[in-house]
Amino acid sequence: MMQNNDSKRFDRRKFMKGMGAAAGAISLPIVGQARAQRPSVALLTADSNDSISVAEMQSVRQRVHEARGVPLRAETVPASDDGDIVAFAYGIDSEGVPSQYVGVSDGSKDVAPLRNKAELRAQQFARGDFPQQQRASSSDVTTQASWNRIVHDEKDFCADPHGCVTDNFDVYQLSGDGDAYQDAYSVKHVFAMEPGVRKYGSDWENNVGRPLHDWSAGDIGGEDLDEWDPLGTHDGSQTISVSIGTSGASLGWSYTQPAVTTVDKTSPSGNYAKWSEEFNTSSARRNTNGMKPGSRAWVTQHSSGKYHLLDVVSDGEFQNSWGTTHSVKFTWHVYVYA
């Protein structure tokens, strides 16, 4: 079970890399670079019968930021969903933006691959190989300098024999908006499902995907969802363009949708953006599929403190040949520091 117990004892057996704290720690040096020039990196892993706790992850984040002298601007914290957190990699890029990878397992078969992926991410972070800088444009995301990325989050939740759900998202904050009372934030979300028939050779297939951006879960106040995409119902293979920018500050991307039906179940009055992706063909059900939704909301501006901004949820429902369904679900709280 994912741990939400901050009082759990820090188990040094898990602390494989992070400021050289544990005997036999994985060494990820960058030769020829001064300490102030290289990103601080941490890697935590756990056994299949254990789980990394929220307290352990928060402790590691704090140590990394203290080592770099960079204040914590945003963090993502797991809710008490199913699965064990068996891998956690964390690093800060040259502009002080944190990136993290989390591997979640519901079965021993996936523990080693998830731990290996976290180690790979830690090695990439140590080399300074981070996701695209927040002030850049790429073929994937078009941004302007006024949208500043404040955190990059990447997660895999694998549950044998059902399948895996991948949940990657970036949170951006709009700077220089000229509003003395509100701040604007946006989320770019990559949601993907890999069915058990492909991952494990089982009879479990994709059924329905349900990504959710729940701005109403926040406690900042004044939550106002005013932009989200894709909007409406999209049926069949097509290219979908997403735009969640605001006047004078663009933020958008495009992705190709296969033979699926995407239904917009957003509630603007309820301040949450939600979609339902239904897999209509055998090929769509038996192969990796997903979507890249986004949303933007305004919240009350604060001068100091830690605030719950929103919940990002990825719920992948799989179905076997008997018609039984099983959900593999993430719920992560996003916090920001004013």
Side-chain angles (χ1 to χ4, degrees):
M1 240 350 139
M2 287 189 187
Q3 300 290 333
N4 219 355
N5 180 8
D6 288 356
S7 64
K8 182 176 178 180
R9 178 178 61 87
F10 192 97
D11 187 347
R12 293 176 65 87
R13 292 182 303 106
K14 300 173 183 173
F15 197 35
M16 296 180 63
K17 170 66 174 84
M19 323 313 297
I26 296 173
S27 178
L28 302 173
I30 299 182
V31 179
Q33 290 188 338
R35 177 177 177 178
Q37 293 177 304
R38 68 174 183 256
S40 299
V41 176
L43 171 65
L44 283 171
T45 63
D47 297 328
S48 58
N49 59 350
D50 205 347
S51 181
I52 299 167
S53 71
V54 170
E56 289 168 337
M57 289 188 289
Q58 289 176 327
S59 175
V60 165
R61 289 192 193 100
Q62 182 177 354
R63 296 179 67 173
V64 170
H65 282 268
E66 288 175 350
R68 275 287 302 277
V70 175
L72 193 62
R73 301 168 62 188
E75 65 179 343
T76 63
V77 177
S80 299
D81 290 340
D82 292 336
D84 295 321
I85 299 176
V86 296
F88 174 66
Y90 191 81
I92 307 173
D93 71 12
S94 60
E95 295 192 16
V97 179
S99 292
Q100 72 175 25
Y101 171 79
V102 181
V104 184
S105 174
D106 189 11
S108 60
K109 181 180 292 185
D110 295 293
V111 172
L114 292 172
R115 291 173 57 159
N116 290 340
K117 188 170 180 178
E119 182 177 336
L120 174 62
R121 287 294 182 270
Q123 292 170 346
Q124 292 172 329
F125 297 162
R127 294 195 303 266
D129 183 10
F130 284 87
Q132 191 75 20
Q133 297 290 334
Q134 71 266 35
R135 296 179 181 273
S137 297
S138 70
S139 58
D140 181 34
V141 182
T142 301
T143 68
Q144 291 183 345
S146 50
W147 279 111
N148 298 327
R149 184 164 59 179
I150 59 174
V151 68
H152 171 78
D153 195 90
E154 179 182 356
K155 297 184 289 294
D156 293 311
F157 187 171
C158 291
D160 180 19
H162 309 103
C164 295
V165 172
T166 292
D167 170 52
N168 301 343
F169 62 86
D170 294 305
V171 180
Y172 295 83
Q173 182 177 12
L174 183 64
S175 64
D177 54 36
D179 193 319
Y181 303 99
Q182 289 186 304
D183 289 326
Y185 292 89
S186 61
V187 175
K188 184 225 175 185
H189 190 184
V190 177
F191 168 81
M193 296 171 59
E194 182 181 6
V197 64
R198 177 183 174 87
K199 178 72 174 179
Y200 305 110
S202 67
D203 65 343
W204 289 85
E205 300 180 348
N206 295 328
N207 190 37
V208 182
R210 303 184 182 94
L212 165 68
H213 304 168
D214 189 1
W215 297 91
S216 70
D219 63 7
I220 297 181
E223 290 84 3
D224 181 14
L225 171 69
D226 71 334
E227 187 72 88
W228 68 95
D229 237 343
L231 179 67
T233 299
H234 298 260
D235 197 6
S237 300
Q238 57 187 289
T239 298
I240 297 177
S241 295
V242 176
S243 176
I244 56 171
T246 188
S247 177
S250 64
L251 179 61
W253 56 91
S254 297
Y255 67 95
T256 301
Q257 174 178 280
V260 302
T261 299
T262 299
V263 180
D264 183 6
K265 295 190 173 182
T266 297
S267 172
S269 62
N271 288 314
Y272 64 84
K274 183 178 181 179
W275 299 267
S276 176
E277 189 174 42
E278 302 168 1
F279 301 91
N280 302 324
T281 68
S282 176
S283 179
R285 293 176 64 89
R286 296 176 65 85
N287 291 284
T288 302
N289 266 298
M291 61 184 299
K292 298 180 181 180
S295 66
R296 184 191 74 218
W298 292 82
V299 297
T300 300
Q301 187 177 107
H302 291 279
S303 59
S304 63
K306 175 183 176 180
Y307 299 94
H308 184 185
L309 180 64
L310 82 156
D311 285 351
V312 177
V313 183
S314 290
D315 182 4
E317 182 182 275
F318 301 97
Q319 186 177 56
N320 67 8
S321 56
W322 295 92
T324 303
T325 60
H326 180 86
S327 285
V328 177
K329 183 180 179 181
F330 291 109
T331 301
W332 285 65
H333 311 310
V334 180
Y335 292 91
V336 293
Y337 291 77

